[in-house]
Each structure stands twice: as C-alpha cells, then as structure tokens.
Amino acid sequence: GMAAVAEGFPLFAEGVNEAGVYIAGLNFPRSARYPAGAGEALAPWELIPWLLGQCRSAGEAAEKLRALPLMNEPFRPGMPAAPLHWHIADRAGAFVAEPTGEGVRVYADPVGVLTNEPPFPFHLANLSQYLGLSAAQPRGLSSAPELAPFGQGMGAVGLPGDWSPASRYVRAAFCLRNSACPPEE
C-alpha cells in the first residue's frame, strides 16, 4: 500500500491485500460526516488496514462497511479525521463507500473508478453526458467526402481536459473502458 507513517502507524491512502482486495481513500471534504459515537466503531485512519486484514473480497468489505459505524476520531490531537470516501475493488467488482449524515452509504460501482468529491451518485449521473465518446475513429460524411476526421482520436473529442474531480472521473472511466490490455500479465 501507500501510506504516511505517523508515530509508527501507517496512515494508508490505498492498499491491496494478498486476496486482491484493493481499497483507496479519496478526499471527500464537503460531504464526509462521521458520528461522534464510540463502541464498536472505527476511525477513518483505521479503516483501510482493518478491512484489508479482515476481508477476502470487495463484496465482503462492502458488507462490513454497511454495518460498521465510523467515528470522528483524530489520529492524534491537531490531526483531524480525514474527510474521505473509499473505493473498494477486486477482480469480481467494485464498490464505493461514503460516510454521510445518514450513515455509511455503500454503492455497487459499475464503472470501476472513483475520484474526490462530489458524491458518487453525481459522478454516475455526470458520466451520462459523455456516452457518445468512443475510442473508435468517427466516419466522415458520405454526402460531403471532404468532411472526414483529420487525425487519430477524434472519437474522444469532448472528453473533459481539466483537473477537477468530475473531469478526472470521466477520463478515468473512458480510459478504463477503452484501453487495450492483454488478458494476462
């Protein structure tokens, strides 16, 4: 995984376990809400190593998150609990977990990517604006043969190019669906 070590403890941003379960925590500053509660609950900084140590699949991690309260517990004074949402994936599928005022919302992720804020339902709805993008080269107009694509990649015209989380989400989804990868490593 990737972590910063504070006082000998790894504060994971992302990690993968021996079963192939991958978890990443992404910035969710406007929407993240952790109740102040105690008892059987985890702080956000405990979540990634705990799930990776407990779960053999992304589905199992999603089920644990549906039942697990998260608490607003800082790692140490002066280091507030990070406002995060999490992407959880394995070979079988992906999930997004978002702590909100209503508890932890867990969504099946049919796209397989996540970026920072805004909430996951926005990212999915926004993606529908880009359904016409394609890795395929568009055809010219048969009625006007001089109007033909003038370069490679013209099917992706309209793909957002800024660095906002929403644009990064669209680009990541496009690349995931349109990259050519061999079936083996």
Side-chain angles (χ1 to χ4, degrees), residues 52-88:
L52 291 176
Q54 299 283 320
C55 300
R56 309 296 297 161
S57 73
E60 184 182 352
E63 285 307 309
K64 286 188 181 295
L65 276 164
R66 283 185 176 98
L68 181 72
L70 294 171
M71 61 182 164
N72 191 14
E73 180 75 26
F75 177 71
R76 66 174 179 229
M79 184 184 245
L84 302 173
H85 61 174
W86 294 273
H87 195 245
I88 305 139

Side-chain angles (χ1 to χ4, degrees), residues 15-23 42 46-66 68 88-90 95:
V16 64
N17 70 13
E18 66 281 357
V21 179
Y22 168 80
I23 304 173
L42 288 178
E46 297 174 302
L47 187 66
I48 292 176
W50 186 81
L51 285 172
L52 291 176
Q54 299 283 320
C55 300
R56 309 296 297 161
S57 73
E60 184 182 352
E63 285 307 309
K64 286 188 181 295
L65 276 164
R66 283 185 176 98
L68 181 72
I88 305 139
D90 62 15
F95 299 88

Side-chain angles (χ1 to χ4, degrees), residues 96-110:
V96 172
E98 295 184 331
T100 67
E102 295 82 40
V104 178
R105 302 277 178 143
V106 179
Y107 304 95
D109 177 7

